[in-house]
Amino acid sequence: MTTTGTPPSDYRLLVPRDWFRVDLTHDRWRRQLKTFVDKEAAGSGVPAEVARGVWTTLRNTAESGVAQGALEFFLKTESPGESALPASLLVALAQTPRGLAPAPGDLAEALAQRGDGDAEVDVVDLPAGQTVRAVTETTMDFHVEMPGGVGYLHLAFSTPLYGTAGPMGELCGAVARSLRWV
């Protein structure tokens, strides 16, 4: 674990301009999320029940994320046809007292054991620090070790329409590599 250095006060992340951002640290996040769903459904010919289903799924994802320290929720704004869900990124903070965060290798081992075997888990070096990466067919998670040994920033990508093997997976990796500590 990295206990040297000053813990960051914030982070910077480059997310494509066409991804809609929902700030989960304020009570208005539900309204922001509803705005996204309404905007995507308007004029697209998507049946109302599909839009309601998307709203329910996204709201439940955001609520679960908020309960686990989520800070931001990004949603890809172009969904082809009658797709169930767009690509998304949920950013969460898993803070621990200084020096108590598991080492990246230990975290990777725990994640590999906890999973059902379909995730490829490894430790990679990103510009922001050592990172535990877990990849499935449609998800890509990055657990980035924070300087000062105070926990991890979790970037959870979901790409149900595009998968992680192609260009969307490359985009997720590029977003994770853009992370910088402030």
Side-chain angles (χ1 to χ4, degrees), residues 30 33-42 44-61 82-86:
R30 283 180 186 81
L33 199 55
K34 184 76 167 108
T35 297
F36 170 79
V37 172
D38 291 347
K39 178 182 160 200
E40 289 300 300
S44 68
V46 172
E49 60 272 4
V50 171
R52 277 192 301 276
V54 169
W55 157 247
T56 300
T57 300
L58 294 176
R59 184 200 62 221
N60 290 347
T61 300
E82 294 186 29
S83 63
L85 292 174

PDB file of all heavy atoms in Angstrom, residues 30 33-42 44-61 82-86:
ATOM      1  N   ARG A  30     -31.797  13.192  -8.617  1.00  0.00           N
ATOM      2  CA  ARG A  30     -32.941  12.495  -9.223  1.00  0.00           C
ATOM      3  C   ARG A  30     -33.530  13.321 -10.358  1.00  0.00           C
ATOM      4  O   ARG A  30     -33.888  12.798 -11.406  1.00  0.00           O
ATOM      5  CB  ARG A  30     -34.009  12.196  -8.171  1.00  0.00           C
ATOM      6  CG  ARG A  30     -33.679  11.021  -7.284  1.00  0.00           C
ATOM      7  CD  ARG A  30     -34.776  10.764  -6.245  1.00  0.00           C
ATOM      8  NE  ARG A  30     -34.381   9.730  -5.323  1.00  0.00           N
ATOM      9  CZ  ARG A  30     -33.595   9.908  -4.268  1.00  0.00           C
ATOM     10  NH1 ARG A  30     -33.109  11.110  -3.993  1.00  0.00           N
ATOM     11  NH2 ARG A  30     -33.287   8.904  -3.478  1.00  0.00           N
ATOM     12  N   LEU A  33     -31.222  13.126 -13.349  1.00  0.00           N
ATOM     13  CA  LEU A  33     -31.365  11.828 -14.006  1.00  0.00           C
ATOM     14  C   LEU A  33     -32.656  11.760 -14.819  1.00  0.00           C
ATOM     15  O   LEU A  33     -32.678  11.258 -15.942  1.00  0.00           O
ATOM     16  CB  LEU A  33     -31.323  10.723 -12.949  1.00  0.00           C
ATOM     17  CG  LEU A  33     -31.012   9.321 -13.413  1.00  0.00           C
ATOM     18  CD1 LEU A  33     -29.705   9.258 -14.178  1.00  0.00           C
ATOM     19  CD2 LEU A  33     -30.935   8.393 -12.204  1.00  0.00           C
ATOM     20  N   LYS A  34     -33.733  12.291 -14.263  1.00  0.00           N
ATOM     21  CA  LYS A  34     -35.022  12.323 -14.968  1.00  0.00           C
ATOM     22  C   LYS A  34     -34.907  13.180 -16.224  1.00  0.00           C
ATOM     23  O   LYS A  34     -35.451  12.818 -17.281  1.00  0.00           O
ATOM     24  CB  LYS A  34     -36.112  12.856 -14.028  1.00  0.00           C
ATOM     25  CG  LYS A  34     -37.489  12.846 -14.628  1.00  0.00           C
ATOM     26  CD  LYS A  34     -38.072  11.444 -14.645  1.00  0.00           C
ATOM     27  CE  LYS A  34     -39.543  11.473 -14.945  1.00  0.00           C
ATOM     28  NZ  LYS A  34     -39.858  10.986 -16.275  1.00  0.00           N
ATOM     29  N   THR A  35     -34.189  14.290 -16.137  1.00  0.00           N
ATOM     30  CA  THR A  35     -33.963  15.148 -17.300  1.00  0.00           C
ATOM     31  C   THR A  35     -33.269  14.365 -18.407  1.00  0.00           C
ATOM     32  O   THR A  35     -33.636  14.452 -19.580  1.00  0.00           O
ATOM     33  CB  THR A  35     -33.117  16.379 -16.913  1.00  0.00           C
ATOM     34  OG1 THR A  35     -33.858  17.146 -15.960  1.00  0.00           O
ATOM     35  CG2 THR A  35     -32.776  17.235 -18.119  1.00  0.00           C
ATOM     36  N   PHE A  36     -32.257  13.576 -18.032  1.00  0.00           N
ATOM     37  CA  PHE A  36     -31.549  12.760 -19.015  1.00  0.00           C
ATOM     38  C   PHE A  36     -32.498  11.786 -19.704  1.00  0.00           C
ATOM     39  O   PHE A  36     -32.530  11.694 -20.933  1.00  0.00           O
ATOM     40  CB  PHE A  36     -30.399  11.997 -18.352  1.00  0.00           C
ATOM     41  CG  PHE A  36     -29.787  10.958 -19.249  1.00  0.00           C
ATOM     42  CD1 PHE A  36     -28.880  11.326 -20.232  1.00  0.00           C
ATOM     43  CD2 PHE A  36     -30.130   9.621 -19.131  1.00  0.00           C
ATOM     44  CE1 PHE A  36     -28.328  10.375 -21.086  1.00  0.00           C
ATOM     45  CE2 PHE A  36     -29.581   8.665 -19.972  1.00  0.00           C
ATOM     46  CZ  PHE A  36     -28.681   9.046 -20.954  1.00  0.00           C
ATOM     47  N   VAL A  37     -33.279  11.046 -18.936  1.00  0.00           N
ATOM     48  CA  VAL A  37     -34.180  10.035 -19.503  1.00  0.00           C
ATOM     49  C   VAL A  37     -35.225  10.704 -20.388  1.00  0.00           C
ATOM     50  O   VAL A  37     -35.487  10.236 -21.512  1.00  0.00           O
ATOM     51  CB  VAL A  37     -34.843   9.202 -18.387  1.00  0.00           C
ATOM     52  CG1 VAL A  37     -35.921   8.287 -18.950  1.00  0.00           C
ATOM     53  CG2 VAL A  37     -33.789   8.387 -17.644  1.00  0.00           C
ATOM     54  N   ASP A  38     -35.810  11.800 -19.933  1.00  0.00           N
ATOM     55  CA  ASP A  38     -36.822  12.496 -20.727  1.00  0.00           C
ATOM     56  C   ASP A  38     -36.231  13.017 -22.032  1.00  0.00           C
ATOM     57  O   ASP A  38     -36.856  12.914 -23.090  1.00  0.00           O
ATOM     58  CB  ASP A  38     -37.434  13.656 -19.935  1.00  0.00           C
ATOM     59  CG  ASP A  38     -38.301  13.182 -18.780  1.00  0.00           C
ATOM     60  OD1 ASP A  38     -38.639  11.974 -18.731  1.00  0.00           O
ATOM     61  OD2 ASP A  38     -38.617  14.011 -17.906  1.00  0.00           O
ATOM     62  N   LYS A  39     -35.029  13.569 -21.969  1.00  0.00           N
ATOM     63  CA  LYS A  39     -34.365  14.119 -23.159  1.00  0.00           C
ATOM     64  C   LYS A  39     -34.084  13.011 -24.174  1.00  0.00           C
ATOM     65  O   LYS A  39     -34.297  13.187 -25.375  1.00  0.00           O
ATOM     66  CB  LYS A  39     -33.070  14.806 -22.747  1.00  0.00           C
ATOM     67  CG  LYS A  39     -32.276  15.374 -23.882  1.00  0.00           C
ATOM     68  CD  LYS A  39     -30.991  16.000 -23.358  1.00  0.00           C
ATOM     69  CE  LYS A  39     -29.997  16.131 -24.489  1.00  0.00           C
ATOM     70  NZ  LYS A  39     -28.643  16.272 -24.027  1.00  0.00           N
ATOM     71  N   GLU A  40     -33.618  11.865 -23.701  1.00  0.00           N
ATOM     72  CA  GLU A  40     -33.305  10.753 -24.597  1.00  0.00           C
ATOM     73  C   GLU A  40     -34.564  10.141 -25.202  1.00  0.00           C
ATOM     74  O   GLU A  40     -34.542   9.690 -26.348  1.00  0.00           O
ATOM     75  CB  GLU A  40     -32.503   9.680 -23.851  1.00  0.00           C
ATOM     76  CG  GLU A  40     -31.091  10.109 -23.524  1.00  0.00           C
ATOM     77  CD  GLU A  40     -30.274  10.446 -24.756  1.00  0.00           C
ATOM     78  OE1 GLU A  40     -30.086   9.571 -25.617  1.00  0.00           O
ATOM     79  OE2 GLU A  40     -29.843  11.607 -24.875  1.00  0.00           O
ATOM     80  N   ALA A  41     -35.652  10.122 -24.444  1.00  0.00           N
ATOM     81  CA  ALA A  41     -36.890   9.515 -24.930  1.00  0.00           C
ATOM     82  C   ALA A  41     -37.649  10.434 -25.890  1.00  0.00           C
ATOM     83  O   ALA A  41     -38.337   9.957 -26.793  1.00  0.00           O
ATOM     84  CB  ALA A  41     -37.788   9.136 -23.755  1.00  0.00           C
ATOM     85  N   ALA A  42     -37.503  11.745 -25.717  1.00  0.00           N
ATOM     86  CA  ALA A  42     -38.246  12.707 -26.532  1.00  0.00           C
ATOM     87  C   ALA A  42     -37.856  12.582 -27.999  1.00  0.00           C
ATOM     88  O   ALA A  42     -36.696  12.665 -28.368  1.00  0.00           O
ATOM     89  CB  ALA A  42     -37.979  14.122 -26.043  1.00  0.00           C
ATOM     90  N   SER A  44     -37.571  10.141 -29.907  1.00  0.00           N
ATOM     91  CA  SER A  44     -36.827   8.960 -30.362  1.00  0.00           C
ATOM     92  C   SER A  44     -37.742   7.793 -30.710  1.00  0.00           C
ATOM     93  O   SER A  44     -37.275   6.787 -31.229  1.00  0.00           O
ATOM     94  CB  SER A  44     -35.828   8.519 -29.292  1.00  0.00           C
ATOM     95  OG  SER A  44     -36.515   8.023 -28.161  1.00  0.00           O
ATOM     96  N   GLY A  45     -39.009   7.920 -30.393  1.00  0.00           N
ATOM     97  CA  GLY A  45     -39.939   6.838 -30.676  1.00  0.00           C
ATOM     98  C   GLY A  45     -39.870   5.700 -29.678  1.00  0.00           C
ATOM     99  O   GLY A  45     -40.461   4.650 -29.893  1.00  0.00           O
ATOM    100  N   VAL A  46     -39.144   5.897 -28.591  1.00  0.00           N
ATOM    101  CA  VAL A  46     -39.031   4.870 -27.559  1.00  0.00           C
ATOM    102  C   VAL A  46     -40.359   4.810 -26.798  1.00  0.00           C
ATOM    103  O   VAL A  46     -40.866   5.838 -26.351  1.00  0.00           O
ATOM    104  CB  VAL A  46     -37.866   5.189 -26.583  1.00  0.00           C
ATOM    105  CG1 VAL A  46     -37.854   4.242 -25.408  1.00  0.00           C
ATOM    106  CG2 VAL A  46     -36.546   5.146 -27.322  1.00  0.00           C
ATOM    107  N   PRO A  47     -40.941   3.630 -26.669  1.00  0.00           N
ATOM    108  CA  PRO A  47     -42.206   3.508 -25.926  1.00  0.00           C
ATOM    109  C   PRO A  47     -42.051   3.997 -24.479  1.00  0.00           C
ATOM    110  O   PRO A  47     -40.981   3.875 -23.881  1.00  0.00           O
ATOM    111  CB  PRO A  47     -42.507   2.009 -25.955  1.00  0.00           C
ATOM    112  CG  PRO A  47     -41.718   1.471 -27.103  1.00  0.00           C
ATOM    113  CD  PRO A  47     -40.507   2.348 -27.207  1.00  0.00           C
ATOM    114  N   ALA A  48     -43.131   4.530 -23.941  1.00  0.00           N
ATOM    115  CA  ALA A  48     -43.111   5.085 -22.589  1.00  0.00           C
ATOM    116  C   ALA A  48     -42.685   4.048 -21.559  1.00  0.00           C
ATOM    117  O   ALA A  48     -41.966   4.374 -20.608  1.00  0.00           O
ATOM    118  CB  ALA A  48     -44.484   5.654 -22.230  1.00  0.00           C
ATOM    119  N   GLU A  49     -43.098   2.788 -21.738  1.00  0.00           N
ATOM    120  CA  GLU A  49     -42.730   1.759 -20.755  1.00  0.00           C
ATOM    121  C   GLU A  49     -41.222   1.480 -20.775  1.00  0.00           C
ATOM    122  O   GLU A  49     -40.628   1.170 -19.743  1.00  0.00           O
ATOM    123  CB  GLU A  49     -43.525   0.467 -20.930  1.00  0.00           C
ATOM    124  CG  GLU A  49     -43.370  -0.222 -22.266  1.00  0.00           C
ATOM    125  CD  GLU A  49     -44.349   0.265 -23.337  1.00  0.00           C
ATOM    126  OE1 GLU A  49     -45.128   1.200 -23.095  1.00  0.00           O
ATOM    127  OE2 GLU A  49     -44.309  -0.299 -24.433  1.00  0.00           O
ATOM    128  N   VAL A  50     -40.588   1.608 -21.949  1.00  0.00           N
ATOM    129  CA  VAL A  50     -39.135   1.440 -22.030  1.00  0.00           C
ATOM    130  C   VAL A  50     -38.448   2.594 -21.287  1.00  0.00           C
ATOM    131  O   VAL A  50     -37.519   2.381 -20.519  1.00  0.00           O
ATOM    132  CB  VAL A  50     -38.656   1.349 -23.497  1.00  0.00           C
ATOM    133  CG1 VAL A  50     -37.134   1.395 -23.580  1.00  0.00           C
ATOM    134  CG2 VAL A  50     -39.181   0.076 -24.144  1.00  0.00           C
ATOM    135  N   ALA A  51     -38.926   3.818 -21.520  1.00  0.00           N
ATOM    136  CA  ALA A  51     -38.361   4.986 -20.833  1.00  0.00           C
ATOM    137  C   ALA A  51     -38.514   4.849 -19.318  1.00  0.00           C
ATOM    138  O   ALA A  51     -37.584   5.157 -18.564  1.00  0.00           O
ATOM    139  CB  ALA A  51     -39.020   6.270 -21.323  1.00  0.00           C
ATOM    140  N   ARG A  52     -39.677   4.375 -18.866  1.00  0.00           N
ATOM    141  CA  ARG A  52     -39.882   4.173 -17.424  1.00  0.00           C
ATOM    142  C   ARG A  52     -38.927   3.110 -16.892  1.00  0.00           C
ATOM    143  O   ARG A  52     -38.387   3.233 -15.799  1.00  0.00           O
ATOM    144  CB  ARG A  52     -41.331   3.781 -17.138  1.00  0.00           C
ATOM    145  CG  ARG A  52     -42.271   4.951 -17.043  1.00  0.00           C
ATOM    146  CD  ARG A  52     -43.631   4.560 -16.472  1.00  0.00           C
ATOM    147  NE  ARG A  52     -44.314   3.533 -17.258  1.00  0.00           N
ATOM    148  CZ  ARG A  52     -45.046   3.767 -18.341  1.00  0.00           C
ATOM    149  NH1 ARG A  52     -45.204   5.000 -18.765  1.00  0.00           N
ATOM    150  NH2 ARG A  52     -45.629   2.782 -18.986  1.00  0.00           N
ATOM    151  N   GLY A  53     -38.717   2.059 -17.655  1.00  0.00           N
ATOM    152  CA  GLY A  53     -37.791   1.008 -17.246  1.00  0.00           C
ATOM    153  C   GLY A  53     -36.364   1.518 -17.146  1.00  0.00           C
ATOM    154  O   GLY A  53     -35.636   1.178 -16.207  1.00  0.00           O
ATOM    155  N   VAL A  54     -35.958   2.337 -18.126  1.00  0.00           N
ATOM    156  CA  VAL A  54     -34.621   2.930 -18.087  1.00  0.00           C
ATOM    157  C   VAL A  54     -34.500   3.832 -16.863  1.00  0.00           C
ATOM    158  O   VAL A  54     -33.506   3.780 -16.121  1.00  0.00           O
ATOM    159  CB  VAL A  54     -34.315   3.702 -19.390  1.00  0.00           C
ATOM    160  CG1 VAL A  54     -33.057   4.544 -19.252  1.00  0.00           C
ATOM    161  CG2 VAL A  54     -34.181   2.737 -20.556  1.00  0.00           C
ATOM    162  N   TRP A  55     -35.515   4.671 -16.630  1.00  0.00           N
ATOM    163  CA  TRP A  55     -35.503   5.564 -15.467  1.00  0.00           C
ATOM    164  C   TRP A  55     -35.370   4.755 -14.175  1.00  0.00           C
ATOM    165  O   TRP A  55     -34.545   5.063 -13.317  1.00  0.00           O
ATOM    166  CB  TRP A  55     -36.765   6.419 -15.435  1.00  0.00           C
ATOM    167  CG  TRP A  55     -37.120   6.940 -14.067  1.00  0.00           C
ATOM    168  CD1 TRP A  55     -38.206   6.596 -13.327  1.00  0.00           C
ATOM    169  CD2 TRP A  55     -36.372   7.861 -13.271  1.00  0.00           C
ATOM    170  NE1 TRP A  55     -38.185   7.242 -12.120  1.00  0.00           N
ATOM    171  CE2 TRP A  55     -37.063   8.033 -12.052  1.00  0.00           C
ATOM    172  CE3 TRP A  55     -35.191   8.549 -13.437  1.00  0.00           C
ATOM    173  CZ2 TRP A  55     -36.616   8.870 -11.036  1.00  0.00           C
ATOM    174  CZ3 TRP A  55     -34.737   9.389 -12.426  1.00  0.00           C
ATOM    175  CH2 TRP A  55     -35.453   9.546 -11.243  1.00  0.00           C
ATOM    176  N   THR A  56     -36.142   3.703 -14.026  1.00  0.00           N
ATOM    177  CA  THR A  56     -36.107   2.885 -12.816  1.00  0.00           C
ATOM    178  C   THR A  56     -34.740   2.241 -12.621  1.00  0.00           C
ATOM    179  O   THR A  56     -34.177   2.278 -11.526  1.00  0.00           O
ATOM    180  CB  THR A  56     -37.206   1.804 -12.870  1.00  0.00           C
ATOM    181  OG1 THR A  56     -38.476   2.443 -12.981  1.00  0.00           O
ATOM    182  CG2 THR A  56     -37.185   0.934 -11.622  1.00  0.00           C
ATOM    183  N   THR A  57     -34.193   1.679 -13.681  1.00  0.00           N
ATOM    184  CA  THR A  57     -32.878   1.036 -13.583  1.00  0.00           C
ATOM    185  C   THR A  57     -31.790   2.037 -13.226  1.00  0.00           C
ATOM    186  O   THR A  57     -30.961   1.786 -12.340  1.00  0.00           O
ATOM    187  CB  THR A  57     -32.534   0.320 -14.901  1.00  0.00           C
ATOM    188  OG1 THR A  57     -33.540  -0.664 -15.146  1.00  0.00           O
ATOM    189  CG2 THR A  57     -31.172  -0.341 -14.832  1.00  0.00           C
ATOM    190  N   LEU A  58     -31.788   3.179 -13.902  1.00  0.00           N
ATOM    191  CA  LEU A  58     -30.770   4.197 -13.619  1.00  0.00           C
ATOM    192  C   LEU A  58     -30.921   4.771 -12.214  1.00  0.00           C
ATOM    193  O   LEU A  58     -29.934   4.996 -11.512  1.00  0.00           O
ATOM    194  CB  LEU A  58     -30.814   5.308 -14.669  1.00  0.00           C
ATOM    195  CG  LEU A  58     -30.417   4.903 -16.084  1.00  0.00           C
ATOM    196  CD1 LEU A  58     -30.599   6.072 -17.044  1.00  0.00           C
ATOM    197  CD2 LEU A  58     -28.995   4.369 -16.128  1.00  0.00           C
ATOM    198  N   ARG A  59     -32.167   5.003 -11.791  1.00  0.00           N
ATOM    199  CA  ARG A  59     -32.396   5.510 -10.435  1.00  0.00           C
ATOM    200  C   ARG A  59     -31.911   4.508  -9.391  1.00  0.00           C
ATOM    201  O   ARG A  59     -31.231   4.881  -8.429  1.00  0.00           O
ATOM    202  CB  ARG A  59     -33.886   5.791 -10.219  1.00  0.00           C
ATOM    203  CG  ARG A  59     -34.165   6.425  -8.840  1.00  0.00           C
ATOM    204  CD  ARG A  59     -35.603   6.276  -8.407  1.00  0.00           C
ATOM    205  NE  ARG A  59     -35.911   4.854  -8.273  1.00  0.00           N
ATOM    206  CZ  ARG A  59     -37.045   4.302  -8.662  1.00  0.00           C
ATOM    207  NH1 ARG A  59     -37.993   5.010  -9.222  1.00  0.00           N
ATOM    208  NH2 ARG A  59     -37.246   3.001  -8.508  1.00  0.00           N
ATOM    209  N   ASN A  60     -32.219   3.228  -9.591  1.00  0.00           N
ATOM    210  CA  ASN A  60     -31.779   2.204  -8.641  1.00  0.00           C
ATOM    211  C   ASN A  60     -30.261   2.103  -8.610  1.00  0.00           C
ATOM    212  O   ASN A  60     -29.664   1.939  -7.543  1.00  0.00           O
ATOM    213  CB  ASN A  60     -32.401   0.851  -8.985  1.00  0.00           C
ATOM    214  CG  ASN A  60     -33.894   0.809  -8.721  1.00  0.00           C
ATOM    215  OD1 ASN A  60     -34.446   1.688  -8.054  1.00  0.00           O
ATOM    216  ND2 ASN A  60     -34.558  -0.180  -9.272  1.00  0.00           N
ATOM    217  N   THR A  61     -29.623   2.201  -9.775  1.00  0.00           N
ATOM    218  CA  THR A  61     -28.163   2.171  -9.838  1.00  0.00           C
ATOM    219  C   THR A  61     -27.574   3.358  -9.082  1.00  0.00           C
ATOM    220  O   THR A  61     -26.634   3.205  -8.297  1.00  0.00           O
ATOM    221  CB  THR A  61     -27.685   2.193 -11.305  1.00  0.00           C
ATOM    222  OG1 THR A  61     -28.208   1.035 -11.969  1.00  0.00           O
ATOM    223  CG2 THR A  61     -26.171   2.198 -11.395  1.00  0.00           C
ATOM    224  N   GLU A  82     -34.122   1.252 -29.613  1.00  0.00           N
ATOM    225  CA  GLU A  82     -34.866   0.998 -28.382  1.00  0.00           C
ATOM    226  C   GLU A  82     -33.995   0.287 -27.354  1.00  0.00           C
ATOM    227  O   GLU A  82     -34.428  -0.636 -26.682  1.00  0.00           O
ATOM    228  CB  GLU A  82     -36.093   0.153 -28.695  1.00  0.00           C
ATOM    229  CG  GLU A  82     -37.107   0.865 -29.549  1.00  0.00           C
ATOM    230  CD  GLU A  82     -38.365   0.046 -29.724  1.00  0.00           C
ATOM    231  OE1 GLU A  82     -38.707  -0.750 -28.836  1.00  0.00           O
ATOM    232  OE2 GLU A  82     -39.009   0.214 -30.755  1.00  0.00           O
ATOM    233  N   SER A  83     -32.771   0.714 -27.226  1.00  0.00           N
ATOM    234  CA  SER A  83     -31.864   0.050 -26.291  1.00  0.00           C
ATOM    235  C   SER A  83     -32.350   0.211 -24.859  1.00  0.00           C
ATOM    236  O   SER A  83     -32.989   1.186 -24.523  1.00  0.00           O
ATOM    237  CB  SER A  83     -30.464   0.634 -26.428  1.00  0.00           C
ATOM    238  OG  SER A  83     -30.486   1.996 -26.069  1.00  0.00           O
ATOM    239  N   ALA A  84     -32.017  -0.763 -24.056  1.00  0.00           N
ATOM    240  CA  ALA A  84     -32.456  -0.744 -22.669  1.00  0.00           C
ATOM    241  C   ALA A  84     -31.673   0.269 -21.845  1.00  0.00           C
ATOM    242  O   ALA A  84     -32.247   1.006 -21.071  1.00  0.00           O
ATOM    243  CB  ALA A  84     -32.311  -2.129 -22.055  1.00  0.00           C
ATOM    244  N   LEU A  85     -30.367   0.313 -22.002  1.00  0.00           N
ATOM    245  CA  LEU A  85     -29.550   1.214 -21.194  1.00  0.00           C
ATOM    246  C   LEU A  85     -28.387   1.762 -21.998  1.00  0.00           C
ATOM    247  O   LEU A  85     -27.801   1.059 -22.811  1.00  0.00           O
ATOM    248  CB  LEU A  85     -28.971   0.472 -19.978  1.00  0.00           C
ATOM    249  CG  LEU A  85     -29.945   0.028 -18.921  1.00  0.00           C
ATOM    250  CD1 LEU A  85     -29.231  -0.820 -17.877  1.00  0.00           C
ATOM    251  CD2 LEU A  85     -30.606   1.212 -18.268  1.00  0.00           C
ATOM    252  N   PRO A  86     -28.004   2.995 -21.731  1.00  0.00           N
ATOM    253  CA  PRO A  86     -26.819   3.545 -22.372  1.00  0.00           C
ATOM    254  C   PRO A  86     -25.558   3.077 -21.649  1.00  0.00           C
ATOM    255  O   PRO A  86     -25.621   2.446 -20.611  1.00  0.00           O
ATOM    256  CB  PRO A  86     -27.013   5.051 -22.184  1.00  0.00           C
ATOM    257  CG  PRO A  86     -27.761   5.145 -20.882  1.00  0.00           C
ATOM    258  CD  PRO A  86     -28.682   3.946 -20.868  1.00  0.00           C
TER     259      PRO A  86
END
